[in-house]
Structure formats: structure tokens, C-alpha cells
């Protein structure tokens, strides 16, 4: 089974992203920063937050689903706000998406919030709402269930250092994960955690038996050249059975986002 985790950056590198996802075609794709604007057929809209202005692919969720026609597509919104079409506003949802190859039945799942709750009337003040999604699928090739969870960790304008909110976030992620995973399952937890490699997040997740593969395998970071700020780590992939890992890599090329894809084969 091939599992990929990626922050899609709102589809800013749209052509490269769609081509990469289509040709790589992971069995399970855990995607963060996904845009879903069902009331518009526009290709591009603009996100505005003070001086932070970013092009967004208006219907990225639909386009990724079209690139993976053999997958079940699940969108998990964290908030609905507005994006801009010149001077016009367009209602747009933002959150996570999970894509599962149809030959892997989804036998349990849960989504929930690791920080705040759904924000229905605007993206909200920083640090904004953040959610997670956990699934349990059946892998017929290995004749076993596998549990997978991912989240997009909260963004704090003061940086990625530990805070009480991040500690609570880690505990909520662990709780959501263990509601779906059955003891004995191979378990994968991944995503853009928005924390440093020495975060207490990993201590919390170690409490449910997880070991991170990014920080224990000497990778130099999970950011691409598109990311211009200091600090090269944001994305992580944890497992409860390191012996199950056939291959794990942080993909530096091609660049499809300001985050690197993380790919695990178990």
C-alpha cells in the first residue's frame, strides 16, 4: 500500500500538482490546504489576508478527484470564508481531503477538530480552525486492515514552537485516531503538523505507539524552494510498526507545492 501526505498549497502549482498526483496515483492520498468552491466554475480565485495574497485553485478538490477517478474522494471542511474574483467575493470552503483507491474498502472513519470548531462565516482569527480525518481500510493484498489519519496543524503567527493549543491539538489527534484504529492495526498518522521536530506533539503520539519517519531518518526538511522563510520542517509521517516500512521518502523533485510530498509504502 502506498500512502502519500501533501500540503497542496491551495493548488498554486496547479499543473505540476495535477500531473504528479495522476502519475503517482497513491493508494491513499492525504491532502491538506484543499479548496472547494462549489458555487463557481472559475479556475482561479484570490485569497486575501492583509498583506498575504495567494492565488487559489477554486475547485481543487474536484480537480484532484478527476485526476484520481478510481478513488473515493472525501472532503473535510475546516471553514467557509470568501475568496476574491477581482472585486467580487466567492464563498469558498477550505480544509482536508482524503482519496482512497476503490479496491481498499473504507470500513470505518471519523473526522473532527483538533483546534476550535467549524468556522461557517469566515476563516476566523489566527490561529484558525484545524481538523483531522481518520480512516480504516481493508488491504486485500496483505489481508489486513490498516488505519490512517492526517491533520493540518494550527498556524500560529508567532511560529512553530510548542504552545498549550498545540499540546491540546496533539491530544485531540491521538484521541480521534484511536477512535478509528483497532489495537493491532498497522497505523499511519501524517500531515502538515506546523511544529518543529522537537515538539511535544511527538511525545503525545508516542503514547499511542507512533514513531516519526522524517526526524528519525535524517531528512533535512520537508519544504521546497518555493518556501522562502526559515525553518525547513512542517510535515511528518508516523507509524506504529517500523518493520512494516518497505520504503519512505521525502520527495524533493518535482516541486508541486511549497511542501514536499511524503510517500510511504507498507
Amino acid at each position: 500500500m502506498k500512502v502519500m501526505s501533501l500540503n497542496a498549497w491551495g493548488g498554486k502549482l496547479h499543473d505540476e500538482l495535477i500531473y504528479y498526483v495522476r502519475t503517482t496515483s497513491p493508494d491513499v492520498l492525504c491532502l491538506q490546504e484543499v479548496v472547494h468552491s462549489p458555487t463557481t466554475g472559475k479556475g482561479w480565485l484570490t485569497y486575501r489576508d492583509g498583506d498575504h495574497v495567494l492565488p487559489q485553485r477554486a475547485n481543487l478538490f474536484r480537480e484532484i478527484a478527476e485526476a484520481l477517478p478510481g478513488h473515493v474522494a472525501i472532503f473535510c471542511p475546516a471553514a467557509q470564508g470568501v475568496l476574491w474574483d477581482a472585486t467580487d467575493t466567492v464563498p469558498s470552503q477550505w480544509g482536508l481531503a482524503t482519496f482512497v483507491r476503490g479496491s481498499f474498502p473504507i470500513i470505518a472513519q471519523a473526522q473532527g477538530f483538533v483546534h476550535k470548531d467549524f468556522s461557517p462565516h469566515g476563516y476566523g482569527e489566527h490561529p484558525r480552525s484545524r481538523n483531522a480525518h481518520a480512516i480504516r481500510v481493508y488491504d486485500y493484498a496483505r489481508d489486513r486492515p490498516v488505519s490512517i489519519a492526517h491533520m493540518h496543524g494550527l498556524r500560529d503567527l508567532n511560529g512553530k514552537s510548542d504552545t498549550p493549543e498545540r499540546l491540546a491539538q496533539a491530544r485531540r489527534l491521538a484521541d480521534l485516531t484511536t477512535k478509528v484504529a483497532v489495537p493491532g492495526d498497522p497505523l499511519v498518522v501524517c500531515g502538515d503538523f506546523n511544529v518543529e521536530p522537537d515538539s511535544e506533539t511527538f511525545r503525545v503520539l508516542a503514547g499511542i505507539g507512533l514513531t516519526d519517519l522524517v526526524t528519525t531518518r535524517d531528512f533535512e526538511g520537508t519544504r521546497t524552494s518555493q518556501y522562502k522563510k526559515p525553518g525547513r520542517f512542517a510535515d511528518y509521517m508516523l507509524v506504529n510498526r517500523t518493520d512494516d516500512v518497505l520504503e519512505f521518502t521525502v520527495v524533493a523533485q518535482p516541486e508541486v507545492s511549497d511542501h514536499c510530498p511524503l510517500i510511504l509504502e507498507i
Side-chain angles (χ1 to χ4, degrees):
M1 176 186 290
K2 181 188 292 186
V3 180
M4 180 191 296
S5 179
L6 173 63
N7 181 315
W9 203 19
K12 184 177 179 180
L13 299 182
H14 172 261
D15 292 349
E16 295 88 343
L17 174 63
I18 295 296
Y19 178 79
Y20 182 71
V21 166
R22 181 184 293 120
T23 55
T24 307
S25 188
D27 297 309
V28 179
L29 172 60
C30 299
L31 204 61
Q32 303 92 47
E33 280 197 30
V34 181
V35 182
H36 179 46
S37 311
T39 65
T40 183
K42 292 279 186 176
W44 292 97
L45 298 171
T46 303
Y47 169 77
R48 298 175 184 170
D49 181 19
D51 294 334
H52 189 200
V53 178
L54 188 68
Q56 299 280 275
R57 194 66 186 174
N59 281 293
L60 182 62
F61 173 64
R62 184 187 67 207
E63 292 173 327
I64 296 290
E66 290 171 349
L68 297 171
H71 288 60
V72 175
I74 304 163
F75 180 65
C76 304
Q80 177 164 305
V82 299
L83 298 179
W84 293 82
D85 178 16
T87 58
D88 297 327
T89 58
V90 177
S92 183
Q93 297 168 23
W94 182 93
L96 307 174
T98 309
F99 303 84
V100 182
R101 191 178 304 283
S103 56
F104 293 85
I106 301 169
I107 56 177
Q109 64 178 308
Q111 68 181 86
F113 282 78
V114 293
H115 181 66
K116 295 183 177 176
D117 203 343
F118 180 68
S119 181
H121 305 296
Y123 299 124
E125 297 297 321
H126 295 287
R128 291 172 169 166
S129 298
R130 288 293 196 266
N131 59 347
H133 185 218
I135 60 173
R136 189 171 188 245
V137 302
Y138 203 86
D139 179 358
Y140 276 98
R142 300 289 296 275
D143 196 22
R144 65 182 184 180
V146 178
S147 293
I148 301 163
H150 71 120
M151 80 163 179
H152 187 186
L154 67 88
R155 175 174 176 254
D156 189 319
L157 299 181
N158 294 317
K160 293 183 172 64
S161 299
D162 281 338
T163 62
E165 291 80 9
R166 284 194 166 113
L167 177 58
Q169 169 181 267
R171 289 171 174 162
R172 289 173 186 155
L173 175 62
D175 288 346
L176 181 72
T177 299
T178 53
K179 285 178 181 177
V180 172
V182 172
D185 283 358
L187 175 60
V188 180
V189 176
C190 56
D192 173 8
F193 289 4
N194 264 326
V195 298
E196 298 288 356
D198 61 352
S199 171
E200 61 187 344
T201 294
F202 301 105
R203 176 181 58 78
V204 173
L205 295 179
I208 60 170
L210 293 165
T211 300
D212 176 55
L213 299 176
V214 173
T215 55
T216 59
R217 298 196 174 203
D218 297 325
F219 291 99
E220 296 182 354
T222 64
R223 290 290 204 165
T224 71
S225 68
Q226 303 290 326
Y227 186 73
K228 307 302 182 183
K229 299 177 184 179
R232 306 310 300 171
F233 290 90
D235 311 88
Y236 301 93
M237 181 89 73
L238 298 91
V239 298
N240 67 339
R241 298 183 184 179
T242 55
D243 290 347
D244 272 359
V245 176
L246 302 178
E247 186 175 355
F248 173 73
T249 187
V250 175
V251 180
Q253 292 292 334
E255 293 190 352
V256 299
S257 168
D258 62 342
H259 295 253
C260 298
L262 311 184
I263 300 180
L264 169 70
E265 291 190 35
I266 56 173

